[in-house]
Amino acid sequence: MATGSPLASTADRSGVRSETLRNTNLSTILRELHRRGPLTRSELGQLTGLTRSSIGALVGELTKARLIVDRGTAADGQRGRPSAVTAVDAEHNVVFAAHVAVDSLAVASIGLGGTVHRTVRSQRTRRRLGLDATIADIVQHCNELSSTLPAGCTVHAVGVGVVGLVRSADNSVALAPNLGWSEAPLGQKLQAALTGNPPVTVANDANLSALAEVRRGAAMGVDEVVSVWGEVGVGGGLLTRGELFLGSNGLAGEVGHMPVNPDGRRCGCGAIGCWETEVGAAALLRRAALPDDGGRPALDALLDRSQSGDASALAALRDHARWLGIGLSGLVNLFNPSVVVLGGLFQRMHHVVAEDLQAELDRRVLPAALAGLCVVPSALGADAPLIGAAEMAFEATLASPLAMHGGDPRRTNR
Ligand SMILES: [Zn+2]
């Protein structure tokens, strides 16, 4: 008996180890296919370092779990021999990705591999901004999308990007001044309200946009990225080594509340002179001597005027670009990114004021940090927060590909 127990536990441990290894390998293969698109078995071998027979077995398991599909054969790059092509089954594996903004609400069904299947977008009145009304609207959009899914489609999870400070530990919105929310249990309440109670993850929308641009957009494959996103509020996402920098409890990247003007205006957060008060949409409208609550239509009209050479519209945008450059210079000096991605309003104004913005950066950024720095407009636009939310929502499936199969059948649309 004295030797029995240790032997048994060693066997158990090695069983656990081989199970962990198998899951790690399944996860690695599914991640490569999710991020890179269809691959031949020999490409999978090169990317993962796994043997041909291991890849065959793992691909078999993922196919049986209906996560991936066979796509015929393609010539192997090196030897020219035909090699089986594998791809994710984007049609039958989806997540719902939602973006809760001030003026709009969008929900999309997005397949494994990042394919946006369908998006439902609605404009929001100030009366629909409350937590319960927002949840009801997301549920309605999800139900609408559910009715369009093919038979046998699995909804793996729901990811939500929201214009506010999100506590990752409990998927709650700690503060969203522009929505009038504080300590709002969005994740928990939404999960309870959705059919089948799928897992719900919530994050700041600017963080998710940054993640999307790195995975599938303007900064694809870049490790050190700062992304800033301007609308009514101003958000940011900081990526280091290709992963989001979230801080101690998920609140990092709140660049809109970086103090830039001690003599400035009061911000929605209560402080004076946050960057948002100088580069948010309202500030641009004020610079153009327009009512600052004009929203998207007023901004679009102003940008149209600047395109046709209107001097006062151009002057307002150039002044706005100066303040954009002031805050951005601080971020570049602090984080030394190789790419800065501009989203939302900043993306739309970039081609008009690129030179003014660059001049401000030239004046303020340390020369060594400026060398090789690229400032680029978002490639994904309004889809960025949705694509980022989908990346977040797929994470559990990518980490443990077989965990939910044989699990909760309610998640499968029949
Ligand atoms: Zn603030």
Side-chain angles (χ1 to χ4, degrees), residues 203-272:
N204 171 267
D205 63 341
N207 273 341
L208 293 176
S209 297
L211 181 67
E213 295 290 349
V214 166
R215 295 273 174 87
R216 306 190 183 276
M220 198 147 72
V222 181
D223 282 346
E224 307 297 325
V225 176
V226 166
S227 162
V228 293
W229 210 263
E231 291 298 344
V232 174
V234 171
L238 313 168
L239 281 108
T240 180
R241 298 177 187 174
E243 298 296 330
L244 274 175
F245 174 76
L246 292 172
S248 59
N249 50 2
L251 303 180
E254 282 299 324
V255 297
H257 302 288
M258 185 168 63
V260 294
N261 185 357
D263 303 317
R265 301 173 76 97
R266 189 169 293 279
C267 177
C269 75
I272 298 281

Short mmCIF file of all heavy atoms in Angstrom, two decimals, residues 203-272:
data_model
loop_
_atom_site.label_atom_id
_atom_site.label_comp_id
_atom_site.label_asym_id
_atom_site.label_seq_id
_atom_site.Cartn_x
_atom_site.Cartn_y
_atom_site.Cartn_z
N ALA A 203 -16.13 44.42 -22.26
CA ALA A 203 -14.88 45.17 -22.19
C ALA A 203 -15.09 46.56 -22.75
O ALA A 203 -16.11 46.84 -23.39
CB ALA A 203 -13.77 44.45 -22.98
N ASN A 204 -14.13 47.42 -22.50
CA ASN A 204 -14.18 48.77 -23.05
C ASN A 204 -14.07 48.70 -24.58
O ASN A 204 -13.26 47.95 -25.12
CB ASN A 204 -13.01 49.57 -22.46
CG ASN A 204 -12.85 50.91 -23.13
OD1 ASN A 204 -12.09 51.04 -24.07
ND2 ASN A 204 -13.58 51.88 -22.67
N ASP A 205 -14.88 49.49 -25.27
CA ASP A 205 -14.93 49.39 -26.73
C ASP A 205 -13.64 49.82 -27.41
O ASP A 205 -13.26 49.26 -28.45
CB ASP A 205 -16.14 50.16 -27.30
CG ASP A 205 -16.08 51.65 -27.04
OD1 ASP A 205 -15.33 52.08 -26.14
OD2 ASP A 205 -16.80 52.39 -27.74
N ALA A 206 -12.95 50.81 -26.84
CA ALA A 206 -11.70 51.25 -27.47
C ALA A 206 -10.61 50.19 -27.33
O ALA A 206 -9.79 49.99 -28.23
CB ALA A 206 -11.24 52.58 -26.87
N ASN A 207 -10.62 49.48 -26.19
CA ASN A 207 -9.67 48.37 -26.02
C ASN A 207 -9.95 47.29 -27.07
O ASN A 207 -9.03 46.74 -27.67
CB ASN A 207 -9.84 47.73 -24.64
CG ASN A 207 -8.99 48.44 -23.59
OD1 ASN A 207 -8.05 49.15 -23.91
ND2 ASN A 207 -9.33 48.25 -22.34
N LEU A 208 -11.23 47.00 -27.28
CA LEU A 208 -11.59 45.95 -28.25
C LEU A 208 -11.25 46.39 -29.68
O LEU A 208 -10.82 45.57 -30.50
CB LEU A 208 -13.08 45.62 -28.14
CG LEU A 208 -13.48 44.96 -26.82
CD1 LEU A 208 -14.98 44.75 -26.77
CD2 LEU A 208 -12.76 43.63 -26.64
N SER A 209 -11.43 47.69 -29.98
CA SER A 209 -11.07 48.19 -31.31
C SER A 209 -9.57 48.03 -31.54
O SER A 209 -9.14 47.65 -32.63
CB SER A 209 -11.45 49.67 -31.44
OG SER A 209 -12.85 49.80 -31.32
N ALA A 210 -8.79 48.32 -30.51
CA ALA A 210 -7.34 48.18 -30.62
C ALA A 210 -6.97 46.72 -30.89
O ALA A 210 -6.16 46.41 -31.77
CB ALA A 210 -6.67 48.67 -29.33
N LEU A 211 -7.59 45.82 -30.16
CA LEU A 211 -7.34 44.38 -30.34
C LEU A 211 -7.69 43.97 -31.77
O LEU A 211 -6.95 43.23 -32.43
CB LEU A 211 -8.18 43.60 -29.33
CG LEU A 211 -8.04 42.09 -29.35
CD1 LEU A 211 -6.64 41.66 -28.91
CD2 LEU A 211 -9.09 41.44 -28.44
N ALA A 212 -8.83 44.47 -32.27
CA ALA A 212 -9.28 44.12 -33.62
C ALA A 212 -8.29 44.62 -34.67
O ALA A 212 -7.97 43.91 -35.64
CB ALA A 212 -10.66 44.72 -33.87
N GLU A 213 -7.77 45.83 -34.50
CA GLU A 213 -6.83 46.38 -35.49
C GLU A 213 -5.52 45.57 -35.52
O GLU A 213 -4.89 45.44 -36.55
CB GLU A 213 -6.54 47.86 -35.19
CG GLU A 213 -7.75 48.78 -35.33
CD GLU A 213 -8.24 48.98 -36.77
OE1 GLU A 213 -7.53 48.59 -37.72
OE2 GLU A 213 -9.34 49.53 -36.94
N VAL A 214 -5.13 45.04 -34.35
CA VAL A 214 -3.90 44.25 -34.29
C VAL A 214 -4.12 42.85 -34.86
O VAL A 214 -3.27 42.31 -35.55
CB VAL A 214 -3.39 44.18 -32.83
CG1 VAL A 214 -2.34 43.11 -32.66
CG2 VAL A 214 -2.81 45.53 -32.43
N ARG A 215 -5.28 42.27 -34.61
CA ARG A 215 -5.55 40.92 -35.11
C ARG A 215 -5.91 40.92 -36.59
O ARG A 215 -5.51 40.05 -37.34
CB ARG A 215 -6.72 40.29 -34.32
CG ARG A 215 -6.42 40.05 -32.85
CD ARG A 215 -5.76 38.70 -32.61
NE ARG A 215 -5.34 38.55 -31.23
CZ ARG A 215 -6.14 38.08 -30.27
NH1 ARG A 215 -7.39 37.73 -30.55
NH2 ARG A 215 -5.69 37.97 -29.04
N ARG A 216 -6.72 41.92 -37.02
CA ARG A 216 -7.28 41.84 -38.37
C ARG A 216 -7.32 43.17 -39.12
O ARG A 216 -8.01 43.29 -40.13
CB ARG A 216 -8.71 41.28 -38.31
CG ARG A 216 -8.79 39.96 -37.56
CD ARG A 216 -10.11 39.28 -37.69
NE ARG A 216 -10.13 38.06 -36.89
CZ ARG A 216 -9.64 36.90 -37.30
NH1 ARG A 216 -9.13 36.78 -38.50
NH2 ARG A 216 -9.66 35.85 -36.51
N GLY A 217 -6.65 44.21 -38.63
CA GLY A 217 -6.81 45.52 -39.25
C GLY A 217 -5.52 46.24 -39.57
O GLY A 217 -4.56 45.64 -40.06
N ALA A 218 -5.47 47.54 -39.24
CA ALA A 218 -4.39 48.43 -39.68
C ALA A 218 -3.04 48.12 -39.03
O ALA A 218 -2.01 48.57 -39.53
CB ALA A 218 -4.78 49.88 -39.39
N ALA A 219 -3.04 47.39 -37.92
CA ALA A 219 -1.77 47.11 -37.23
C ALA A 219 -1.56 45.61 -37.12
O ALA A 219 -1.00 45.11 -36.15
CB ALA A 219 -1.77 47.75 -35.85
N MET A 220 -2.01 44.87 -38.15
CA MET A 220 -1.99 43.41 -38.08
C MET A 220 -0.58 42.89 -37.82
O MET A 220 0.36 43.25 -38.53
CB MET A 220 -2.55 42.80 -39.37
CG MET A 220 -2.96 41.38 -39.22
SD MET A 220 -4.38 40.98 -40.25
CE MET A 220 -3.62 40.98 -41.85
N GLY A 221 -0.46 42.09 -36.79
CA GLY A 221 0.82 41.47 -36.48
C GLY A 221 1.81 42.37 -35.75
O GLY A 221 2.91 41.94 -35.44
N VAL A 222 1.42 43.64 -35.48
CA VAL A 222 2.34 44.55 -34.78
C VAL A 222 2.18 44.34 -33.28
O VAL A 222 1.06 44.17 -32.78
CB VAL A 222 2.04 46.03 -35.16
CG1 VAL A 222 3.00 46.97 -34.45
CG2 VAL A 222 2.11 46.21 -36.67
N ASP A 223 3.30 44.34 -32.55
CA ASP A 223 3.23 44.02 -31.12
C ASP A 223 2.97 45.23 -30.23
O ASP A 223 2.27 45.15 -29.23
CB ASP A 223 4.54 43.36 -30.67
CG ASP A 223 4.58 41.89 -31.07
OD1 ASP A 223 3.51 41.35 -31.44
OD2 ASP A 223 5.67 41.30 -31.04
N GLU A 224 3.58 46.38 -30.59
CA GLU A 224 3.49 47.55 -29.71
C GLU A 224 2.63 48.61 -30.39
O GLU A 224 3.05 49.27 -31.34
CB GLU A 224 4.89 48.11 -29.41
CG GLU A 224 5.87 47.07 -28.86
CD GLU A 224 5.44 46.49 -27.51
OE1 GLU A 224 4.87 47.25 -26.69
OE2 GLU A 224 5.67 45.29 -27.28
N VAL A 225 1.40 48.76 -29.90
CA VAL A 225 0.42 49.61 -30.58
C VAL A 225 -0.33 50.49 -29.58
O VAL A 225 -0.69 50.03 -28.50
CB VAL A 225 -0.60 48.74 -31.35
CG1 VAL A 225 -1.69 49.60 -32.00
CG2 VAL A 225 0.10 47.89 -32.42
N VAL A 226 -0.52 51.75 -29.96
CA VAL A 226 -1.44 52.62 -29.23
C VAL A 226 -2.57 52.95 -30.18
O VAL A 226 -2.35 53.32 -31.33
CB VAL A 226 -0.74 53.92 -28.77
CG1 VAL A 226 -1.77 54.97 -28.33
CG2 VAL A 226 0.23 53.64 -27.63
N SER A 227 -3.81 52.75 -29.72
CA SER A 227 -4.96 53.05 -30.56
C SER A 227 -5.82 54.07 -29.83
O SER A 227 -6.08 53.91 -28.64
CB SER A 227 -5.72 51.73 -30.80
OG SER A 227 -7.02 51.97 -31.24
N VAL A 228 -6.21 55.13 -30.52
CA VAL A 228 -7.09 56.13 -29.89
C VAL A 228 -8.33 56.30 -30.75
O VAL A 228 -8.26 56.29 -31.98
CB VAL A 228 -6.40 57.49 -29.63
CG1 VAL A 228 -5.32 57.35 -28.59
CG2 VAL A 228 -5.86 58.10 -30.89
N TRP A 229 -9.44 56.43 -30.08
CA TRP A 229 -10.74 56.37 -30.72
C TRP A 229 -11.55 57.56 -30.26
O TRP A 229 -11.72 57.76 -29.07
CB TRP A 229 -11.41 55.07 -30.27
CG TRP A 229 -12.33 54.49 -31.27
CD1 TRP A 229 -13.68 54.65 -31.30
CD2 TRP A 229 -12.00 53.68 -32.39
NE1 TRP A 229 -14.19 53.99 -32.38
CE2 TRP A 229 -13.19 53.39 -33.05
CE3 TRP A 229 -10.79 53.18 -32.89
CZ2 TRP A 229 -13.23 52.61 -34.20
CZ3 TRP A 229 -10.83 52.41 -34.03
CH2 TRP A 229 -12.04 52.13 -34.67
N GLY A 230 -11.99 58.39 -31.19
CA GLY A 230 -12.75 59.58 -30.79
C GLY A 230 -14.17 59.57 -31.29
O GLY A 230 -14.41 59.27 -32.45
N GLU A 231 -15.11 59.81 -30.41
CA GLU A 231 -16.51 60.07 -30.78
C GLU A 231 -16.99 61.10 -29.78
O GLU A 231 -16.34 62.10 -29.61
CB GLU A 231 -17.35 58.77 -30.72
CG GLU A 231 -17.01 57.74 -31.79
CD GLU A 231 -17.24 58.21 -33.25
OE1 GLU A 231 -17.94 59.23 -33.46
OE2 GLU A 231 -16.72 57.57 -34.18
N VAL A 232 -18.15 60.83 -29.12
CA VAL A 232 -18.58 61.72 -28.05
C VAL A 232 -17.51 61.68 -26.95
O VAL A 232 -17.02 62.69 -26.49
CB VAL A 232 -19.95 61.28 -27.48
CG1 VAL A 232 -20.32 62.12 -26.27
CG2 VAL A 232 -21.01 61.38 -28.57
N GLY A 233 -17.11 60.48 -26.58
CA GLY A 233 -16.01 60.30 -25.64
C GLY A 233 -14.75 59.94 -26.40
O GLY A 233 -14.78 59.76 -27.62
N VAL A 234 -13.65 59.84 -25.68
CA VAL A 234 -12.38 59.47 -26.31
C VAL A 234 -11.82 58.27 -25.56
O VAL A 234 -11.66 58.33 -24.33
CB VAL A 234 -11.39 60.64 -26.29
CG1 VAL A 234 -10.02 60.20 -26.75
CG2 VAL A 234 -11.91 61.78 -27.17
N GLY A 235 -11.55 57.19 -26.28
CA GLY A 235 -11.02 56.00 -25.63
C GLY A 235 -9.72 55.58 -26.27
O GLY A 235 -9.34 56.09 -27.32
N GLY A 236 -9.06 54.64 -25.64
CA GLY A 236 -7.81 54.17 -26.19
C GLY A 236 -7.57 52.73 -25.83
O GLY A 236 -8.20 52.18 -24.92
N GLY A 237 -6.68 52.11 -26.57
CA GLY A 237 -6.27 50.75 -26.26
C GLY A 237 -4.77 50.68 -26.40
O GLY A 237 -4.18 51.22 -27.33
N LEU A 238 -4.12 50.04 -25.44
CA LEU A 238 -2.67 49.92 -25.45
C LEU A 238 -2.33 48.45 -25.59
O LEU A 238 -2.80 47.63 -24.79
CB LEU A 238 -2.09 50.45 -24.14
CG LEU A 238 -2.65 51.80 -23.67
CD1 LEU A 238 -2.24 52.08 -22.23
CD2 LEU A 238 -2.15 52.91 -24.59
N LEU A 239 -1.59 48.12 -26.63
CA LEU A 239 -1.18 46.73 -26.79
C LEU A 239 0.32 46.61 -26.64
O LEU A 239 1.08 47.37 -27.25
CB LEU A 239 -1.60 46.18 -28.15
CG LEU A 239 -3.08 45.81 -28.16
CD1 LEU A 239 -3.86 46.79 -28.97
CD2 LEU A 239 -3.28 44.40 -28.64
N THR A 240 0.72 45.68 -25.82
CA THR A 240 2.14 45.44 -25.67
C THR A 240 2.37 43.94 -25.85
O THR A 240 1.58 43.12 -25.39
CB THR A 240 2.66 46.00 -24.33
OG1 THR A 240 4.05 45.72 -24.25
CG2 THR A 240 1.95 45.44 -23.12
N ARG A 241 3.41 43.59 -26.62
CA ARG A 241 3.67 42.21 -27.03
C ARG A 241 2.43 41.57 -27.67
O ARG A 241 2.14 40.39 -27.49
CB ARG A 241 4.14 41.37 -25.85
CG ARG A 241 5.45 41.89 -25.32
CD ARG A 241 5.91 41.12 -24.12
NE ARG A 241 7.08 41.76 -23.54
CZ ARG A 241 7.64 41.39 -22.42
NH1 ARG A 241 7.17 40.36 -21.75
NH2 ARG A 241 8.69 42.02 -21.95
N GLY A 242 1.65 42.39 -28.36
CA GLY A 242 0.50 41.88 -29.10
C GLY A 242 -0.74 41.64 -28.25
O GLY A 242 -1.76 41.20 -28.76
N GLU A 243 -0.65 41.90 -26.94
CA GLU A 243 -1.80 41.67 -26.07
C GLU A 243 -2.21 42.97 -25.42
O GLU A 243 -1.39 43.86 -25.19
CB GLU A 243 -1.44 40.65 -24.97
CG GLU A 243 -1.06 39.26 -25.49
CD GLU A 243 -2.21 38.55 -26.20
OE1 GLU A 243 -3.38 38.78 -25.84
OE2 GLU A 243 -1.92 37.77 -27.13
N LEU A 244 -3.50 43.08 -25.09
CA LEU A 244 -4.00 44.29 -24.45
C LEU A 244 -3.38 44.48 -23.07
O LEU A 244 -3.28 43.53 -22.30
CB LEU A 244 -5.52 44.20 -24.26
CG LEU A 244 -6.39 44.64 -25.42
CD1 LEU A 244 -7.84 44.34 -25.09
CD2 LEU A 244 -6.21 46.11 -25.73
N PHE A 245 -2.97 45.72 -22.82
CA PHE A 245 -2.50 46.07 -21.48
C PHE A 245 -3.73 46.58 -20.72
O PHE A 245 -4.32 47.59 -21.09
CB PHE A 245 -1.43 47.16 -21.59
CG PHE A 245 -0.98 47.69 -20.27
CD1 PHE A 245 -0.13 46.95 -19.48
CD2 PHE A 245 -1.41 48.93 -19.83
CE1 PHE A 245 0.28 47.44 -18.25
CE2 PHE A 245 -1.00 49.42 -18.60
CZ PHE A 245 -0.16 48.68 -17.81
N LEU A 246 -4.15 45.84 -19.68
CA LEU A 246 -5.42 46.15 -19.02
C LEU A 246 -5.28 46.82 -17.66
O LEU A 246 -6.26 47.30 -17.11
CB LEU A 246 -6.25 44.87 -18.87
CG LEU A 246 -6.76 44.27 -20.18
CD1 LEU A 246 -7.38 42.91 -19.93
CD2 LEU A 246 -7.75 45.19 -20.87
N GLY A 247 -4.07 46.82 -17.12
CA GLY A 247 -3.90 47.39 -15.78
C GLY A 247 -4.35 46.41 -14.71
O GLY A 247 -4.69 45.27 -15.00
N SER A 248 -4.37 46.87 -13.45
CA SER A 248 -4.60 45.94 -12.35
C SER A 248 -6.02 45.42 -12.31
O SER A 248 -6.27 44.30 -11.88
CB SER A 248 -4.23 46.58 -11.01
OG SER A 248 -5.01 47.74 -10.82
N ASN A 249 -7.01 46.20 -12.73
CA ASN A 249 -8.38 45.64 -12.79
C ASN A 249 -9.14 46.01 -14.05
O ASN A 249 -10.34 46.25 -14.03
CB ASN A 249 -9.19 45.97 -11.53
CG ASN A 249 -9.13 47.43 -11.18
OD1 ASN A 249 -8.52 48.21 -11.91
ND2 ASN A 249 -9.77 47.82 -10.11
N GLY A 250 -8.40 46.04 -15.15
CA GLY A 250 -9.05 46.17 -16.46
C GLY A 250 -9.38 47.58 -16.89
O GLY A 250 -10.06 47.78 -17.89
N LEU A 251 -8.92 48.57 -16.17
CA LEU A 251 -9.31 49.94 -16.48
C LEU A 251 -8.26 50.73 -17.26
O LEU A 251 -8.48 51.91 -17.57
CB LEU A 251 -9.64 50.71 -15.18
CG LEU A 251 -10.74 50.09 -14.29
CD1 LEU A 251 -10.97 50.94 -13.05
CD2 LEU A 251 -12.04 49.95 -15.06
N ALA A 252 -7.15 50.10 -17.62
CA ALA A 252 -6.09 50.84 -18.33
C ALA A 252 -6.58 51.27 -19.71
O ALA A 252 -7.53 50.72 -20.26
CB ALA A 252 -4.86 49.96 -18.48
N GLY A 253 -5.92 52.30 -20.25
CA GLY A 253 -6.25 52.75 -21.60
C GLY A 253 -7.29 53.87 -21.63
O GLY A 253 -7.76 54.24 -22.69
N GLU A 254 -7.64 54.40 -20.45
CA GLU A 254 -8.62 55.50 -20.43
C GLU A 254 -7.94 56.81 -20.79
O GLU A 254 -7.88 57.75 -20.00
CB GLU A 254 -9.29 55.57 -19.05
CG GLU A 254 -10.36 54.52 -18.87
CD GLU A 254 -11.51 54.65 -19.87
OE1 GLU A 254 -11.88 55.79 -20.22
OE2 GLU A 254 -12.01 53.61 -20.32
N VAL A 255 -7.45 56.86 -22.02
CA VAL A 255 -6.68 58.02 -22.45
C VAL A 255 -7.53 59.29 -22.50
O VAL A 255 -7.01 60.40 -22.37
CB VAL A 255 -6.03 57.77 -23.83
CG1 VAL A 255 -5.03 56.63 -23.77
CG2 VAL A 255 -7.08 57.50 -24.90
N GLY A 256 -8.83 59.15 -22.66
CA GLY A 256 -9.71 60.33 -22.72
C GLY A 256 -9.69 61.12 -21.43
O GLY A 256 -10.01 62.31 -21.43
N HIS A 257 -9.30 60.47 -20.33
CA HIS A 257 -9.30 61.17 -19.04
C HIS A 257 -7.89 61.53 -18.58
O HIS A 257 -7.65 61.79 -17.40
CB HIS A 257 -10.08 60.35 -18.01
CG HIS A 257 -11.48 60.10 -18.46
ND1 HIS A 257 -12.44 61.10 -18.49
CD2 HIS A 257 -12.07 59.00 -19.01
CE1 HIS A 257 -13.56 60.61 -19.02
NE2 HIS A 257 -13.35 59.35 -19.34
N MET A 258 -6.98 61.56 -19.55
CA MET A 258 -5.62 62.04 -19.29
C MET A 258 -5.71 63.57 -19.19
O MET A 258 -6.27 64.22 -20.07
CB MET A 258 -4.81 61.63 -20.52
CG MET A 258 -3.37 61.87 -20.49
SD MET A 258 -2.64 60.95 -21.90
CE MET A 258 -3.39 61.74 -23.32
N PRO A 259 -5.21 64.16 -18.08
CA PRO A 259 -5.32 65.62 -17.96
C PRO A 259 -4.39 66.34 -18.95
O PRO A 259 -3.21 66.00 -19.03
CB PRO A 259 -4.90 65.90 -16.51
CG PRO A 259 -4.21 64.69 -16.04
CD PRO A 259 -4.58 63.53 -16.93
N VAL A 260 -4.92 67.26 -19.73
CA VAL A 260 -4.08 68.01 -20.68
C VAL A 260 -4.24 69.52 -20.54
O VAL A 260 -3.40 70.27 -21.01
CB VAL A 260 -4.37 67.63 -22.16
CG1 VAL A 260 -3.97 66.19 -22.46
CG2 VAL A 260 -5.83 67.87 -22.53
N ASN A 261 -5.33 69.98 -19.89
CA ASN A 261 -5.54 71.42 -19.84
C ASN A 261 -6.12 71.84 -18.48
O ASN A 261 -7.32 71.76 -18.25
CB ASN A 261 -6.51 71.83 -20.97
CG ASN A 261 -6.68 73.33 -21.05
OD1 ASN A 261 -6.13 74.07 -20.22
ND2 ASN A 261 -7.44 73.78 -22.04
N PRO A 262 -5.22 72.31 -17.58
CA PRO A 262 -5.69 72.68 -16.24
C PRO A 262 -6.70 73.83 -16.26
O PRO A 262 -7.44 74.02 -15.30
CB PRO A 262 -4.41 73.08 -15.50
CG PRO A 262 -3.37 73.26 -16.55
CD PRO A 262 -3.77 72.46 -17.75
N ASP A 263 -6.72 74.60 -17.37
CA ASP A 263 -7.69 75.70 -17.47
C ASP A 263 -8.88 75.32 -18.34
O ASP A 263 -9.63 76.18 -18.81
CB ASP A 263 -7.00 76.94 -18.07
CG ASP A 263 -5.79 77.36 -17.24
OD1 ASP A 263 -5.92 77.35 -15.99
OD2 ASP A 263 -4.74 77.67 -17.82
N GLY A 264 -9.04 74.02 -18.58
CA GLY A 264 -10.08 73.58 -19.52
C GLY A 264 -11.45 73.42 -18.91
O GLY A 264 -11.75 73.94 -17.85
N ARG A 265 -12.29 72.66 -19.62
CA ARG A 265 -13.68 72.47 -19.23
C ARG A 265 -13.84 71.25 -18.32
O ARG A 265 -12.95 70.40 -18.26
CB ARG A 265 -14.54 72.25 -20.48
CG ARG A 265 -14.47 73.37 -21.47
CD ARG A 265 -15.20 73.00 -22.74
NE ARG A 265 -16.64 73.06 -22.58
CZ ARG A 265 -17.39 74.10 -22.93
NH1 ARG A 265 -16.83 75.17 -23.47
NH2 ARG A 265 -18.70 74.07 -22.77
N ARG A 266 -15.00 71.18 -17.66
CA ARG A 266 -15.26 70.02 -16.81
C ARG A 266 -15.66 68.83 -17.69
O ARG A 266 -16.47 68.97 -18.61
CB ARG A 266 -16.35 70.31 -15.78
CG ARG A 266 -16.49 69.20 -14.76
CD ARG A 266 -17.38 69.57 -13.59
NE ARG A 266 -16.83 70.63 -12.73
CZ ARG A 266 -15.93 70.44 -11.77
NH1 ARG A 266 -15.44 69.24 -11.55
NH2 ARG A 266 -15.51 71.45 -11.05
N CYS A 267 -15.07 67.69 -17.39
CA CYS A 267 -15.31 66.46 -18.16
C CYS A 267 -16.49 65.69 -17.55
O CYS A 267 -16.85 65.92 -16.39
CB CYS A 267 -14.05 65.61 -18.09
SG CYS A 267 -14.15 64.02 -18.89
N GLY A 268 -17.07 64.79 -18.32
CA GLY A 268 -18.14 63.93 -17.82
C GLY A 268 -17.74 63.13 -16.59
O GLY A 268 -18.58 62.71 -15.80
N CYS A 269 -16.42 62.89 -16.42
CA CYS A 269 -15.93 62.13 -15.27
C CYS A 269 -15.85 63.00 -14.01
O CYS A 269 -15.60 62.48 -12.93
CB CYS A 269 -14.57 61.52 -15.57
SG CYS A 269 -13.21 62.71 -15.54
N GLY A 270 -16.03 64.31 -14.18
CA GLY A 270 -15.98 65.21 -13.03
C GLY A 270 -14.71 66.03 -12.93
O GLY A 270 -14.68 67.06 -12.26
N ALA A 271 -13.63 65.59 -13.60
CA ALA A 271 -12.36 66.31 -13.52
C ALA A 271 -12.35 67.46 -14.53
O ALA A 271 -13.22 67.56 -15.40
CB ALA A 271 -11.22 65.35 -13.77
N ILE A 272 -11.36 68.32 -14.40
CA ILE A 272 -11.21 69.48 -15.29
C ILE A 272 -10.14 69.18 -16.34
O ILE A 272 -9.06 68.70 -16.00
CB ILE A 272 -10.78 70.74 -14.48
CG1 ILE A 272 -11.84 71.13 -13.45
CG2 ILE A 272 -10.44 71.90 -15.41
CD1 ILE A 272 -13.03 71.88 -13.99
#
